[in-house]
Amino acid sequence: MSLVILVYGWYGRGNVGDELMKHALQKMFCQQGIELRFNSKLTPVVLSDVNGVIFGGGSILDGVPNLTNDALQILLSKKIPVFYIGIGSETAVHPVHQQLLKVAALVQYRDRDMPDLAYSLNVPNSVLSNRDHSKGILFVPNVEVVPTHLSPHWMHAAWD
């Protein structure tokens, strides 16, 4: 019986960065015999047969996660290990994530010195299959799309 890990994040919604992260996680875990399930809502039913939950990647800490109170209580009880992988620390942290970070077995932040896992991989055809290839795709690191100097990430990068 293989391990089943649920991955919570912004997957399957056409965001190239998230789809690259999904590909990186699949490449990393599936070759180890670990089954990944990507889900955007956590409930006790969804958690009933998983061996762990990964939150990430990206800038998800400032929003409230889409989970029921019962699911939150299960995760806070440490019955199912919680992992944060490839998350951005440039935003405020929502109180629910603050609680979950305290019980997390692993917290892996992304930063300039350690690029997202997705940057080390080739772009899979599945990510590009619904795109107009004649126009090409430009990949821009997150820090390059900061809109103004008032952004919290801008200030964080300036201090670095």
Side-chain angles (χ1 to χ4, degrees):
M1 181 173 126
S2 69
L3 291 175
V4 178
I5 304 294
L6 186 129
V7 182
Y8 175 86
W10 193 260
Y11 299 101
R13 298 180 183 169
N15 181 303
V16 174
D18 289 318
E19 294 311 308
L20 284 171
M21 185 68 178
K22 179 179 180 179
H23 177 71
L25 291 170
Q26 288 171 327
K27 186 168 183 166
M28 201 168 60
F29 285 100
C30 294
Q31 61 185 330
Q32 302 298 321
I34 298 171
E35 177 188 343
L36 294 181
R37 295 182 188 162
F38 292 83
N39 201 308
S40 60
K41 182 168 184 179
L42 303 178
T43 66
V45 172
V46 170
L47 296 175
S48 66
D49 63 343
V50 300
N51 302 99
V53 175
I54 294 174
F55 285 85
S59 301
I60 64 169
L61 294 178
D62 61 341
V64 61
N66 187 9
L67 76 165
T68 65
N69 191 51
D70 290 339
L72 176 61
Q73 296 311 312
I74 291 169
L75 296 176
L76 292 175
S77 73
K78 297 186 179 183
K79 292 178 183 174
I80 300 173
V82 172
F83 308 92
Y84 280 83
I85 297 180
I87 56 170
S89 60
E90 67 274 2
T91 64
V93 180
H94 189 278
V96 172
H97 282 297
Q98 288 177 6
Q99 292 178 61
L100 290 169
L101 284 164
K102 288 179 184 176
V103 300
L106 173 72
V107 179
Q108 163 74 58
Y109 289 99
R110 67 176 185 205
D111 61 30
R112 288 188 332 205
D113 298 327
M114 181 174 285
D116 289 339
L117 297 172
Y119 289 129
S120 65
L121 300 173
N122 292 327
V123 179
N125 288 335
S126 61
V127 171
L128 303 174
S129 62
N130 294 324
R131 307 227 181 254
D132 180 353
H133 299 295
S134 66
K135 294 179 183 173
I137 293 182
L138 172 65
F139 289 94
V140 181
N142 285 345
V143 74
E144 300 299 327
V145 296
V146 174
T148 72
H149 69 282
L150 299 176
S151 165
H153 187 274
W154 180 290
M155 290 179 269
H156 169 75
W159 280 105
D160 282 347

